[in-house]
Amino acid sequence: NAEFFSFAPDGERVAFLSGGQTQFKLELWVIQRDGSGLRRLVSPEQVQTLAGEPPTTDVPYTDGLNWQLEWMEGTKRLSFEILRSYEGIGGCCESRGHWQVDLDSGEVEPWTPSESPRGPEGLVSPDGRLMAISDEDSLSIASADGTILHKNALTFQTFSANPEGPGSYGPTIAWAQDSRSLFAIVILEEPFSERASIGVNFAVWQVPVNGEPAREAWTFAAVPFSISVSPNQEYLAYLKGTQAGSNQRELHLARIDGTKDLVYAEG
Protein backbone atom coordinates (compact mmCIF):
# COMPACT_ATOMS: atom_id res chain seq x y z
CA ASN A 1 0.00 0.00 0.00
CA ALA A 2 2.85 2.35 -0.86
CA GLU A 3 2.51 5.44 -3.03
CA PHE A 4 4.28 8.64 -4.03
CA PHE A 5 7.91 7.54 -4.24
CA SER A 6 10.70 10.11 -4.11
CA PHE A 7 14.38 9.30 -4.68
CA ALA A 8 17.04 11.04 -2.60
CA PRO A 9 19.39 13.29 -4.63
CA ASP A 10 22.13 10.61 -4.48
CA GLY A 11 19.68 7.94 -5.63
CA GLU A 12 20.53 5.63 -2.73
CA ARG A 13 17.35 5.98 -0.68
CA VAL A 14 13.67 6.15 -1.53
CA ALA A 15 11.00 7.85 0.57
CA PHE A 16 7.37 6.90 0.13
CA LEU A 17 3.94 7.39 1.70
CA SER A 18 1.47 4.68 2.67
CA GLY A 19 -1.58 3.92 4.78
CA GLY A 20 -5.00 5.51 5.02
CA GLN A 21 -8.22 4.98 3.12
CA THR A 22 -8.71 8.60 2.01
CA GLN A 23 -6.87 10.84 -0.44
CA PHE A 24 -4.23 11.38 2.24
CA LYS A 25 -1.45 9.00 3.24
CA LEU A 26 -0.71 8.74 6.91
CA GLU A 27 2.78 7.27 7.14
CA LEU A 28 6.21 8.29 5.81
CA TRP A 29 8.74 5.53 5.15
CA VAL A 30 12.27 5.27 3.77
CA ILE A 31 14.11 2.32 2.26
CA GLN A 32 17.53 1.74 0.74
CA ARG A 33 17.63 1.41 -3.02
CA ASP A 34 18.64 -2.27 -2.72
CA GLY A 35 15.58 -3.06 -0.57
CA SER A 36 17.31 -3.04 2.82
CA GLY A 37 16.87 -0.67 5.73
CA LEU A 38 13.09 -0.26 5.61
CA ARG A 39 12.09 2.22 8.34
CA ARG A 40 9.02 4.22 9.21
CA LEU A 41 9.92 7.87 9.74
CA VAL A 42 6.53 9.36 10.63
CA SER A 43 3.61 7.40 12.11
CA PRO A 44 -0.13 8.24 12.04
CA GLU A 45 0.10 9.10 15.74
CA GLN A 46 2.88 11.60 15.02
CA VAL A 47 0.83 13.13 12.21
CA GLN A 48 -2.07 13.70 14.62
CA THR A 49 0.21 15.19 17.28
CA LEU A 50 1.99 17.52 14.86
CA ALA A 51 -1.29 18.65 13.27
CA GLY A 52 -2.78 19.64 16.63
CA GLU A 53 -6.41 19.79 17.68
CA PRO A 54 -8.95 21.64 15.49
CA PRO A 55 -10.93 24.57 16.91
CA THR A 56 -14.06 22.41 16.78
CA THR A 57 -14.72 18.70 16.51
CA ASP A 58 -18.28 19.13 15.22
CA VAL A 59 -17.13 18.44 11.67
CA PRO A 60 -15.29 15.14 10.97
CA TYR A 61 -11.80 15.67 9.61
CA THR A 62 -8.73 13.75 8.42
CA ASP A 63 -5.09 14.72 8.85
CA GLY A 64 -2.59 13.32 6.38
CA LEU A 65 0.65 13.91 4.51
CA ASN A 66 0.93 15.90 1.32
CA TRP A 67 2.35 13.76 -1.50
CA GLN A 68 4.94 16.44 -2.34
CA LEU A 69 8.11 15.40 -0.52
CA GLU A 70 11.27 17.50 -0.73
CA TRP A 71 14.80 16.32 0.04
CA MET A 72 17.05 18.88 1.70
CA GLU A 73 20.14 19.25 -0.50
CA GLY A 74 23.42 18.35 1.20
CA THR A 75 21.69 16.84 4.25
CA LYS A 76 20.03 13.62 5.32
CA ARG A 77 16.72 15.38 5.92
CA LEU A 78 13.36 15.15 4.21
CA SER A 79 10.61 17.75 4.38
CA PHE A 80 6.87 17.13 4.30
CA GLU A 81 3.59 18.99 4.84
CA ILE A 82 0.57 17.94 6.89
CA LEU A 83 -2.83 18.68 5.38
CA ARG A 84 -6.24 18.62 7.09
CA SER A 85 -9.43 17.83 5.19
CA TYR A 86 -12.89 18.44 6.66
CA GLU A 87 -15.82 16.41 5.41
CA GLY A 88 -18.12 18.31 3.07
CA ILE A 89 -17.79 20.45 -0.01
CA GLY A 90 -14.77 22.74 0.06
CA GLY A 91 -13.26 20.95 3.05
CA CYS A 92 -9.85 20.41 1.51
CA CYS A 93 -7.13 21.31 2.24
CA GLU A 94 -5.88 23.21 5.27
CA SER A 95 -2.14 23.21 5.86
CA ARG A 96 -1.13 22.15 9.35
CA GLY A 97 2.50 23.09 8.87
CA HIS A 98 5.71 21.98 7.20
CA TRP A 99 8.21 19.70 8.92
CA GLN A 100 11.55 18.05 8.30
CA VAL A 101 12.71 14.67 9.56
CA ASP A 102 16.30 13.51 10.07
CA LEU A 103 16.70 10.14 8.34
CA ASP A 104 19.36 8.98 10.79
CA SER A 105 17.93 10.06 14.13
CA GLY A 106 14.23 10.22 13.21
CA GLU A 107 13.99 13.65 14.87
CA VAL A 108 11.16 15.82 13.50
CA GLU A 109 11.40 19.61 13.56
CA PRO A 110 9.34 22.49 12.11
CA TRP A 111 10.49 23.74 8.71
CA THR A 112 9.72 26.91 6.76
CA PRO A 113 9.78 26.49 2.96
CA SER A 114 11.22 29.18 0.74
CA GLU A 115 8.73 31.83 -0.29
CA SER A 116 10.33 32.29 -3.70
CA PRO A 117 8.64 30.22 -6.41
CA ARG A 118 10.64 27.54 -8.15
CA GLY A 119 11.44 27.99 -11.81
CA PRO A 120 11.12 25.23 -14.40
CA GLU A 121 13.54 22.33 -14.11
CA GLY A 122 16.64 22.95 -16.20
CA LEU A 123 16.09 26.71 -16.31
CA VAL A 124 19.79 27.64 -15.99
CA SER A 125 22.32 26.21 -18.47
CA PRO A 126 24.98 23.80 -17.13
CA ASP A 127 27.75 26.39 -17.63
CA GLY A 128 25.71 29.04 -15.76
CA ARG A 129 25.88 31.60 -18.60
CA LEU A 130 22.34 31.33 -19.99
CA MET A 131 18.73 30.97 -18.90
CA ALA A 132 15.62 29.62 -20.59
CA ILE A 133 12.63 31.81 -19.78
CA SER A 134 9.17 30.43 -20.54
CA ASP A 135 5.93 32.38 -20.47
CA GLU A 136 2.44 31.27 -21.46
CA ASP A 137 3.13 30.61 -25.15
CA SER A 138 6.83 31.13 -25.91
CA LEU A 139 10.34 30.38 -24.73
CA SER A 140 13.23 32.86 -24.89
CA ILE A 141 16.98 32.59 -24.30
CA ALA A 142 18.55 35.11 -21.91
CA SER A 143 21.97 35.77 -20.44
CA ALA A 144 22.61 35.13 -16.76
CA ASP A 145 21.88 38.78 -15.93
CA GLY A 146 18.41 38.52 -17.50
CA THR A 147 19.16 40.25 -20.80
CA ILE A 148 17.03 38.67 -23.53
CA LEU A 149 19.29 37.32 -26.30
CA HIS A 150 16.76 35.48 -28.46
CA LYS A 151 13.13 36.36 -27.87
CA ASN A 152 10.51 33.77 -28.80
CA ALA A 153 13.10 31.17 -29.73
CA LEU A 154 10.20 28.69 -29.60
CA THR A 155 6.45 29.33 -29.61
CA PHE A 156 3.78 26.83 -28.65
CA GLN A 157 0.07 26.52 -27.96
CA THR A 158 -1.04 26.73 -24.33
CA PHE A 159 -3.40 24.22 -22.74
CA SER A 160 -4.99 24.30 -19.30
CA ALA A 161 -3.33 22.17 -16.61
CA ASN A 162 -6.35 22.45 -14.32
CA PRO A 163 -9.88 21.93 -15.68
CA GLU A 164 -11.37 23.59 -12.60
CA GLY A 165 -9.11 26.58 -12.17
CA PRO A 166 -6.07 28.56 -13.36
CA GLY A 167 -2.78 27.08 -14.51
CA SER A 168 -1.27 26.16 -17.87
CA TYR A 169 0.66 23.12 -19.07
CA GLY A 170 4.07 24.61 -19.84
CA PRO A 171 7.03 22.95 -21.55
CA THR A 172 9.55 20.77 -19.73
CA ILE A 173 13.02 22.20 -20.33
CA ALA A 174 16.27 20.21 -20.40
CA TRP A 175 19.64 21.67 -21.33
CA ALA A 176 22.25 19.86 -23.43
CA GLN A 177 25.39 19.21 -21.41
CA ASP A 178 27.47 21.52 -23.65
CA SER A 179 25.00 24.42 -23.06
CA ARG A 180 24.83 25.06 -26.81
CA SER A 181 21.18 24.06 -27.07
CA LEU A 182 18.25 22.95 -24.98
CA PHE A 183 15.34 20.59 -25.41
CA ALA A 184 11.76 21.65 -24.77
CA ILE A 185 9.03 19.02 -24.38
CA VAL A 186 5.75 20.61 -25.47
CA ILE A 187 2.24 19.18 -25.22
CA LEU A 188 0.33 19.35 -28.51
CA GLU A 189 -3.26 18.72 -27.44
CA GLU A 190 -5.69 19.01 -24.54
CA PRO A 191 -4.32 17.00 -21.57
CA PHE A 192 -7.81 16.11 -20.31
CA SER A 193 -9.15 14.71 -23.58
CA GLU A 194 -10.65 11.25 -24.02
CA ARG A 195 -7.24 10.07 -25.26
CA ALA A 196 -5.50 10.98 -22.02
CA SER A 197 -5.66 7.43 -20.59
CA ILE A 198 -3.76 6.12 -23.64
CA GLY A 199 -1.61 9.16 -24.32
CA VAL A 200 -1.76 12.56 -25.95
CA ASN A 201 0.85 13.87 -28.35
CA PHE A 202 4.01 15.67 -27.26
CA ALA A 203 6.82 17.16 -29.35
CA VAL A 204 10.48 17.47 -28.37
CA TRP A 205 12.10 20.56 -29.85
CA GLN A 206 15.82 21.25 -29.92
CA VAL A 207 16.45 24.98 -29.50
CA PRO A 208 19.96 26.32 -30.37
CA VAL A 209 21.16 29.22 -28.24
CA ASN A 210 22.85 30.99 -31.17
CA GLY A 211 19.58 32.19 -32.67
CA GLU A 212 19.18 29.46 -35.30
CA PRO A 213 15.60 28.15 -35.76
CA ALA A 214 14.33 25.50 -33.40
CA ARG A 215 14.18 21.97 -34.81
CA GLU A 216 11.54 19.36 -33.98
CA ALA A 217 13.50 16.30 -32.84
CA TRP A 218 10.61 13.83 -32.47
CA THR A 219 7.04 13.35 -31.32
CA PHE A 220 5.54 10.72 -29.03
CA ALA A 221 2.31 9.93 -27.19
CA ALA A 222 2.34 9.87 -23.39
CA VAL A 223 -0.06 9.99 -20.46
CA PRO A 224 -0.16 13.67 -19.38
CA PHE A 225 1.85 14.59 -16.27
CA SER A 226 3.84 11.31 -16.49
CA ILE A 227 6.99 12.62 -18.23
CA SER A 228 10.19 12.75 -16.17
CA VAL A 229 13.63 13.91 -17.35
CA SER A 230 16.75 12.24 -15.95
CA PRO A 231 19.08 14.25 -13.67
CA ASN A 232 21.72 14.52 -16.43
CA GLN A 233 18.92 15.67 -18.80
CA GLU A 234 19.89 13.17 -21.50
CA TYR A 235 16.98 10.77 -21.07
CA LEU A 236 13.28 10.83 -20.34
CA ALA A 237 10.76 8.36 -18.97
CA TYR A 238 7.05 8.39 -19.67
CA LEU A 239 3.91 6.29 -19.42
CA LYS A 240 1.71 5.21 -22.31
CA GLY A 241 -1.62 3.43 -22.12
CA THR A 242 -2.24 0.26 -24.10
CA GLN A 243 -6.04 0.34 -24.26
CA ALA A 244 -8.64 3.08 -23.81
CA GLY A 245 -10.38 2.94 -20.45
CA SER A 246 -7.86 0.43 -19.14
CA ASN A 247 -5.33 0.78 -16.33
CA GLN A 248 -2.64 -1.02 -18.35
CA ARG A 249 0.48 1.06 -18.89
CA GLU A 250 3.84 0.86 -20.62
CA LEU A 251 6.87 2.51 -19.05
CA HIS A 252 9.01 3.97 -21.83
CA LEU A 253 12.64 5.03 -21.52
CA ALA A 254 14.11 7.14 -24.32
CA ARG A 255 16.94 9.44 -25.22
CA ILE A 256 15.66 12.97 -25.12
CA ASP A 257 16.57 13.49 -28.79
CA GLY A 258 14.40 10.52 -29.78
CA THR A 259 17.24 8.31 -31.07
CA LYS A 260 16.17 5.46 -28.80
CA ASP A 261 12.76 4.65 -27.32
CA LEU A 262 12.04 1.32 -25.66
CA VAL A 263 9.38 -0.24 -23.46
CA TYR A 264 11.11 -1.00 -20.17
CA ALA A 265 8.14 -2.50 -18.33
CA GLU A 266 4.39 -2.94 -18.68
CA GLY A 267 1.51 -3.93 -16.45
Side-chain angles (χ1 to χ4, degrees), residues 118-164:
R118 286 185 167 188
E121 189 173 358
L123 181 67
V124 181
S125 63
D127 62 11
R129 297 186 305 107
L130 301 171
M131 294 190 299
I133 299 177
S134 176
D135 58 25
E136 289 189 356
D137 57 7
S138 67
L139 183 148
S140 300
I141 306 297
S143 61
D145 63 5
T147 302
I148 300 296
L149 303 177
H150 304 294
K151 187 174 179 60
N152 299 335
L154 177 68
T155 58
F156 45 84
Q157 184 176 355
T158 300
F159 295 94
S160 173
N162 182 357
E164 299 179 355

Side-chain angles (χ1 to χ4, degrees), residues 60-249:
Y61 67 94
T62 300
D63 291 328
L65 300 175
N66 189 345
W67 61 270
Q68 292 177 311
L69 305 173
E70 182 175 348
W71 293 87
M72 318 299 288
E73 284 286 348
T75 73
K76 295 181 179 180
R77 290 176 173 265
L78 180 68
S79 72
F80 60 93
E81 181 185 17
I82 297 178
L83 295 177
R84 173 168 293 166
S85 174
Y86 293 94
E87 287 191 10
I89 298 175
C92 180
C93 301
E94 175 186 281
S95 177
R96 300 303 299 170
H98 293 78
W99 311 83
Q100 59 179 352
V101 57
D102 188 292
L103 272 65
D104 289 335
S105 67
E107 181 181 0
V108 178
E109 296 180 339
W111 175 69
T112 302
S114 172
E115 295 183 358
S116 59
R118 286 185 167 188
E121 189 173 358
L123 181 67
V124 181
S125 63
D127 62 11
R129 297 186 305 107
L130 301 171
M131 294 190 299
I133 299 177
S134 176
D135 58 25
E136 289 189 356
D137 57 7
S138 67
L139 183 148
S140 300
I141 306 297
S143 61
D145 63 5
T147 302
I148 300 296
L149 303 177
H150 304 294
K151 187 174 179 60
N152 299 335
L154 177 68
T155 58
F156 45 84
Q157 184 176 355
T158 300
F159 295 94
S160 173
N162 182 357
E164 299 179 355
S168 59
Y169 201 127
T172 299
I173 299 169
W175 280 92
Q177 291 300 304
D178 60 9
S179 300
R180 296 171 62 182
S181 66
L182 60 84
F183 291 94
I185 306 172
V186 179
I187 190 170
L188 300 179
E189 55 186 299
E190 174 62 52
F192 301 102
S193 68
E194 294 181 355
R195 290 165 29 85
S197 62
I198 299 179
V200 300
N201 288 319
F202 289 81
V204 181
W205 288 83
Q206 187 170 16
V207 184
V209 301
N210 61 3
E212 294 180 1
R215 178 183 67 86
E216 185 177 297
W218 66 302
T219 61
F220 64 99
V223 175
F225 308 102
S226 74
I227 300 172
S228 178
V229 178
S230 65
N232 65 5
Q233 301 189 352
E234 295 181 4
Y235 304 91
L236 59 85
Y238 65 91
L239 297 179
K240 185 177 181 180
T242 58
Q243 183 178 352
S246 168
N247 197 32
Q248 293 294 309
R249 298 283 189 272

